Amino acid sequence: MTDDKDVLRDVWFGRIPTCFTLYQDEITEREAEPYYLLLPRISYLTLVTDKVKKHFQKVMRQEEVSEIWFEYEGTPLKWHYPIGLLFDLHASNTALPWSITVHFKNFPEKDLLHCHSKDVIEAHFMACIKEADALKHKSQVINEMQKKDHKQLWMGLQNDKFEQFWAINRKLMEYSPEDNGFRYIPFRIYQATTERPFIQKLFRPIASGGQLHTLGDLLKDVCPSAITPEDGEQKTQVMIHGIEPMLETPIQWLSEHMSYPDNFLHISIIPRPTD
Amino acid sequence: VFCSMAGEDFFLEEKRFKQYCEDFVKHSQQIGDGWEWRTSKDLPDGYLSKTHFQVRNRHIPPDLKEKNNDSTEQMLFAHAEEPSDDSQAAGVCSTEDVVRYEYHVLYSSSYQVPVLYFRACFLDGRPLTLDEIWGSVHASYQDRLQEGPWDTITQQEHPILGQPFFVLHPCRTNEFISAVLGGSQEHLRHTNYIILWLSTVGPVVGLNLPLSYAKLAPEQSTDADLT
């Protein structure tokens, strides 16, 4: 039986082979070769693509280069969503490598947040962690931590240091023995077909009678269309980190073991492939 | 700066948020202040929304920005002046000069407080940067920005529309609401939280509430329904 800690490592070290191609209308001085990279599922596009930017800037003139942004099949990719979420939501049932188009012009102001520096990514990441702890612990654990602990969470993510990150993050995964879990579960459910970017609601991991709520309970409560009736064919997949966890899985366990480093469960509802 | 939930007594339940918003919109309709309640198609939640247009005077002399006097505001929000005879300017404002401001009040279930989202753009669609928005706020409020119960204004994704907006960070809302309302629950029951909160945070980002909102009496049914 796999140890629970192995799950933490598998989540952290998940990678997506990706091919970056420069948008054809960008103006180059010579032909731009595609760039291949293994992207960490748990990180953010603008945090891990410095090499991609440098590679394409080498064939472009300085004046043709402004803020980089990424697109997949016409959809601008939100850098503030974890990479694994973007892939599961948009491309999980397509052939690898994931083909992403790189742009340096015409930043889509209506769709994407700006990301002028790593500080912006850090601020976003820490805001997510704080919000998650507001839900789990009424912010008590995150507020008790020192600034250097916060910094360690960010540095662990930025430098891909599992042990460094979890030395602090484990405290955010604790709860007192009299409770059987967190106050509320930090989660967001995404469907590419809806106008609303995600669904987020208050949801308790433990029922009033003391039973553990499951992933299925969460979906029934928050997004019932994701669970088809028993006699119907399952038209959708419920995906986290590229896998479909069993609906019977306790949501408390999922929160502790399959959250992203921002401490949120980012869940994708996608059409089931028909083959 | 860390977020504190110390003022838990003053957290705002979602039902109460909706009721306060309903009362708020009713009053807005009475005085023609332009607020409406918007719902999303798929879920029962919604938000307050107001859009207004303002003409910005293009030629703000640099020293005027530093003056902390009333004439600054007049200059900044003046209607376009007639062009002088020898200028090439058209008789109407160019699309550059008219700014469309949008303000949304959403409920944060994570922090259990209202949150103010805002954005602005020129008529041709070009969005204003945060600096450009701040530049049009009355100078005295720019000072207050330093001391207010908000340490950041950041760009974030609107949770219902999925588009970039600027947001006043909500985590210290409880702190200042508690300070204002004091220790008495009694006070809380008779105050429209939204009016109290919006009248404080709004002006910092160019949103003003006419004084008549302060006279808003809570409906008798509000308290009864929610006890």
Side-chain angles (χ1 to χ4, degrees):
Chain A
M1 186 78 141
T2 318
D3 191 36
D4 279 357
K5 293 234 168 69
D6 291 343
V7 176
L8 301 182
R9 285 190 170 271
D10 288 345
V11 166
W12 183 271
F13 290 107
R15 295 287 186 266
I16 297 169
T18 309
C19 173
F20 289 93
T21 308
L22 187 65
Y23 181 56
Q24 59 194 21
D25 289 358
E26 300 287 334
I27 298 174
T28 57
E29 295 185 320
R30 46 187 190 285
E31 178 152 356
E33 296 286 317
Y35 191 88
Y36 292 84
L37 194 57
L38 283 175
L39 294 179
R41 276 181 160 276
I42 49 132
S43 191
Y44 302 94
L45 277 173
T46 44
L47 190 54
V48 297
T49 49
D50 284 344
K51 291 201 177 128
V52 177
K53 193 159 81 162
K54 285 201 183 83
H55 169 82
F56 290 115
Q57 281 178 339
K58 275 201 290 238
V59 304
M60 296 175 72
R61 283 198 300 217
Q62 183 75 311
E63 56 267 31
E64 300 294 340
V65 172
S66 78
E67 187 174 354
I68 194 173
W69 58 279
F70 304 97
E71 162 247 308
Y72 174 70
E73 296 197 337
T75 304
L77 294 175
K78 297 180 181 181
W79 66 263
H80 69 285
Y81 286 7
I83 291 166
L85 167 63
L86 290 170
F87 180 78
D88 290 344
L89 195 56
H90 297 299
S92 61
N93 290 309
T94 62
L96 294 173
W98 189 18
S99 293
I100 292 182
T101 307
V102 181
H103 293 256
F104 289 99
K105 283 198 317 249
N106 299 318
F107 190 87
E109 302 277 355
K110 284 223 147 61
D111 300 298
L112 298 182
L113 303 179
H114 283 284
C115 188
H116 294 301
S117 72
K118 301 278 187 292
D119 291 344
V120 176
I121 312 174
E122 180 180 2
H124 165 70
F125 176 67
M126 291 312 302
C128 292
I129 289 189
K130 287 177 185 175
E131 185 179 349
D133 203 57
L135 289 166
K136 289 198 276 187
H137 303 117
K138 293 196 248 185
S139 304
Q140 279 159 12
V141 178
I142 195 72
N143 285 350
E144 267 164 22
M145 285 183 183
Q146 296 174 353
K147 235 188 182 129
K148 69 176 174 72
D149 293 336
H150 291 199
K151 220 32 170 174
Q152 189 166 330
L153 289 170
W154 167 246
M155 298 304 291
L157 177 72
Q158 187 178 32
N159 300 324
D160 194 23
K161 296 273 192 260
F162 174 85
E163 299 291 352
Q164 184 186 29
F165 177 81
W166 273 98
I168 308 298
N169 200 53
R170 63 176 183 79
K171 298 187 217 170
L172 294 169
M173 294 300 179
E174 288 169 353
Y175 48 88
S176 42
E178 54 264 25
D179 314 318
N180 271 317
F182 304 136
R183 183 166 191 241
Y184 297 109
I185 298 291
F187 73 90
R188 286 185 179 163
I189 297 179
Y190 303 79
Q191 279 179 276
T193 50
T194 57
E195 181 190 79
R196 174 188 291 258
F198 56 80
I199 300 171
Q200 180 180 347
K201 275 183 173 177
L202 295 179
F203 187 82
R204 290 194 191 274
I206 317 285
S208 46
Q211 322 91 289
L212 294 170
H213 279 139
T214 64
L215 176 59
D217 292 333
L218 173 69
L219 293 167
K220 241 181 278 180
D221 190 57
V222 161
C223 187
S225 56
I227 315 228
T228 49
E230 277 148 33
D231 49 295
E233 231 180 73
Q234 182 87 42
K235 292 214 173 74
T236 56
Q237 288 180 300
V238 178
M239 191 164 287
I240 314 178
H241 295 296
I243 63 160
E244 289 184 77
M246 291 171 60
L247 296 181
E248 294 84 356
T249 315
I251 198 75
Q252 175 66 30
W253 186 93
L254 281 172
S255 184
E256 288 174 51
H257 295 88
M258 291 191 68
S259 291
Y260 282 75
D262 65 3
N263 279 233
F264 269 82
L265 276 172
H266 297 287
I267 302 168
S268 301
I269 310 290
I270 54 177
R272 182 172 293 277
T274 48
D275 52 31
Chain B
V1 178
F2 306 107
C3 304
S4 153
M5 293 288 280
E8 201 195 337
D9 284 349
F10 300 99
F11 74 88
L12 182 65
E13 277 176 326
E14 187 161 12
K15 269 204 213 102
R16 203 179 275 266
F17 167 78
K18 285 184 172 162
Q19 184 60 57
Y20 285 143
C21 287
E22 197 180 300
D23 296 342
F24 184 90
V25 169
K26 276 199 197 115
H27 185 78
S28 169
Q29 284 163 348
Q30 283 167 7
I31 65 171
D33 196 32
W35 286 92
E36 57 179 27
W37 176 257
R38 291 212 188 137
T39 46
S40 62
K41 287 178 280 184
D42 42 358
L43 283 182
D45 61 0
Y47 56 96
L48 285 176
S49 169
K50 177 174 176 173
T51 302
H52 72 142
F53 295 85
Q54 254 164 5
V55 179
R56 275 190 2 151
N57 190 317
R58 257 186 297 180
H59 305 292
I60 303 168
D63 53 274
L64 258 185
K65 269 194 175 171
E66 270 131 43
K67 285 210 181 110
N68 188 6
N69 58 32
D70 289 293
S71 66
T72 310
E73 187 172 333
Q74 276 181 297
M75 283 294 295
L76 289 172
F77 297 123
H79 292 286
E81 290 163 2
E82 297 301 321
S84 54
D85 289 334
D86 53 4
S87 98
Q88 300 264 327
V92 285
C93 314
S94 72
T95 52
E96 263 280 299
D97 286 327
V98 179
V99 179
R100 178 178 184 269
Y101 291 85
E102 252 182 291
Y103 299 97
H104 294 183
V105 176
L106 277 80
Y107 180 73
S108 163
S109 54
S110 304
Y111 291 106
Q112 302 195 283
V113 291
V115 185
L116 181 61
Y117 288 74
F118 61 98
R119 67 178 174 186
C121 60
F122 296 101
L123 289 187
D124 61 2
R126 177 169 86 78
L128 271 73
T129 62
L130 193 52
D131 284 340
E132 284 172 314
I133 295 179
W134 267 337
S136 66
V137 168
H138 193 292
S140 70
Y141 286 113
Q142 289 183 5
D143 291 337
R144 195 192 284 195
L145 201 60
Q146 313 301 337
E147 347 156 335
W150 40 72
D151 47 359
T152 38
I153 293 181
T154 52
Q155 203 191 25
Q156 284 182 35
E157 177 182 46
H158 190 291
I160 296 178
L161 299 179
Q163 293 172 10
F165 273 72
F166 294 111
V167 185
L168 282 182
H169 198 254
C171 70
R172 290 174 68 190
T173 298
N174 257 333
E175 225 177 271
F176 90 84
I177 289 282
S178 313
V180 170
L181 294 174
S184 167
Q185 278 282 44
E186 205 55 49
H187 283 168
L188 188 60
R189 289 192 185 285
H190 297 285
T191 311
N192 186 310
Y193 189 117
I194 295 300
I195 293 171
L196 177 68
W197 165 79
L198 197 54
S199 59
T200 308
V201 305
V204 175
V205 296
L207 175 68
N208 292 292
L209 286 191
L211 283 177
S212 67
Y213 280 102
K215 292 184 247 146
L216 203 70
E219 313 213 339
Q220 290 303 94
S221 59
T222 306
D223 293 347
D225 283 346
L226 293 174
T227 36

